[in-house]
Amino acid sequence: AAASAFLLSRLFWTSFSRAPPAPKEPSAFGKAITDLPNKFLRFIKNPIATIQASVEKKDLMGGIVGMAVSVIACFLATLVYALRWGFGFAAWAWIVVGMFAPVVACGFTLLGYFVMSKLGKVEADFKGLLAAVGTGALLPAALTLTSMLFLLISTWFFNAFGILIIAVWVVTAFLTVFHVYGVKPTALNLLVFVGFCFVAYTAVAEMRDWFVNSVWSYTSALEDFFSDWY
């Protein structure tokens, strides 16, 4: 009996005196999500320093999260625009443009950064380039989400915010290439940079125009259909 009491007391004491387990280290995805609001504020205050820090840390997950946010923002904004014209709209155009327009924009940006780094003979790796693209996508994504509120007032803001987003994207790309990566702004480099911006803008603008025309055409077709019944 004494031995049993001793063993029970020893077991009781060991279970309560054992050190608590160490807290789990948050994953890279969790860190990127948690740091997203602060990174956005840092970008607003000092975009060059924020992009530079992301590139130096090779913040791959932060870049992926930034690009994912831009896709979500575009997906929601195009939905609000389509719904402003009525509940019957070209869903396939919304899905394609809402998901792939930001992907195309980020893809052209990534390719442009890579080509400019090679042309300028500066060191650049894939993780750093992806981090730069994702960090630079935060402000356009925020503007896209903001446009949703103005779209509730008028669809005119769809094109107005589109111009603003393009301007922010071009300025961010210029700062990234010629300040963060330090590519020399020679005539050739500037010409190639402008060429990439033009090609990327044309590709995204074509997708946007196709989406807008699809919404208009589909809405007009529905109105004509129901006008025959009433």
Side-chain angles (χ1 to χ4, degrees):
S4 300
F6 175 77
L7 290 175
L8 288 175
S9 63
R10 187 62 180 268
L11 180 62
F12 178 81
W13 175 257
T14 302
S15 61
F16 278 92
S17 61
R18 186 178 302 168
K24 292 184 178 180
E25 187 73 17
S27 63
F29 177 76
K31 289 181 179 179
I33 292 295
T34 303
D35 188 52
L36 193 60
N38 294 328
K39 178 184 282 189
F40 175 75
L41 294 177
R42 294 196 301 269
F43 182 85
I44 296 296
K45 295 177 181 178
N46 194 335
I48 296 177
T50 305
I51 297 174
Q52 182 76 52
S54 297
V55 171
E56 291 177 352
K57 292 191 298 183
K58 300 180 180 181
D59 188 13
L60 177 63
M61 186 56 66
I64 293 174
V65 168
M67 288 184 286
V69 170
S70 68
V71 172
I72 295 172
C74 183
F75 196 71
L76 294 176
T78 49
L79 174 62
V80 172
Y81 176 83
L83 290 176
R84 285 286 283 114
W85 291 93
F87 286 98
F89 64 92
W92 66 87
W94 160 56
I95 293 173
V96 171
V97 175
M99 292 186 65
F100 292 104
V103 173
V104 170
C106 290
F108 270 108
T109 305
L110 181 64
L111 179 62
Y113 289 174
F114 175 77
V115 172
M116 293 301 300
S117 67
K118 295 301 181 183
L119 193 63
K121 298 179 180 180
V122 297
E123 184 179 353
D125 61 277
F126 179 75
K127 290 183 178 181
L129 290 171
L130 208 59
V133 173
T135 303
L138 293 178
L139 183 54
L143 292 173
T144 304
L145 291 173
T146 304
S147 70
M148 292 171 52
L149 302 177
F150 287 87
L151 284 173
L152 298 176
I153 302 173
S154 172
T155 55
W156 175 85
F157 289 102
F158 187 78
N159 288 329
F161 269 88
I163 295 173
L164 179 60
I165 290 168
I166 291 170
V168 170
W169 169 70
V170 171
V171 172
T172 303
F174 183 88
L175 294 176
T176 302
V177 171
F178 297 106
H179 289 271
V180 174
Y181 280 102
V183 176
K184 294 182 180 179
T186 62
L188 176 60
N189 291 342
L190 289 172
L191 184 62
V192 173
F193 175 81
V194 172
F196 264 103
C197 289
F198 176 77
V199 172
Y201 165 75
T202 302
V204 176
E206 287 292 332
M207 297 182 71
R208 179 204 60 195
D209 293 343
W210 174 67
F211 166 70
V212 172
N213 292 332
S214 298
V215 172
W216 288 356
S217 300
Y218 198 85
T219 304
S220 299
L222 284 178
E223 290 176 352
D224 294 339
F225 175 79
F226 286 110
S227 64
D228 295 335
W229 289 84
Y230 296 98

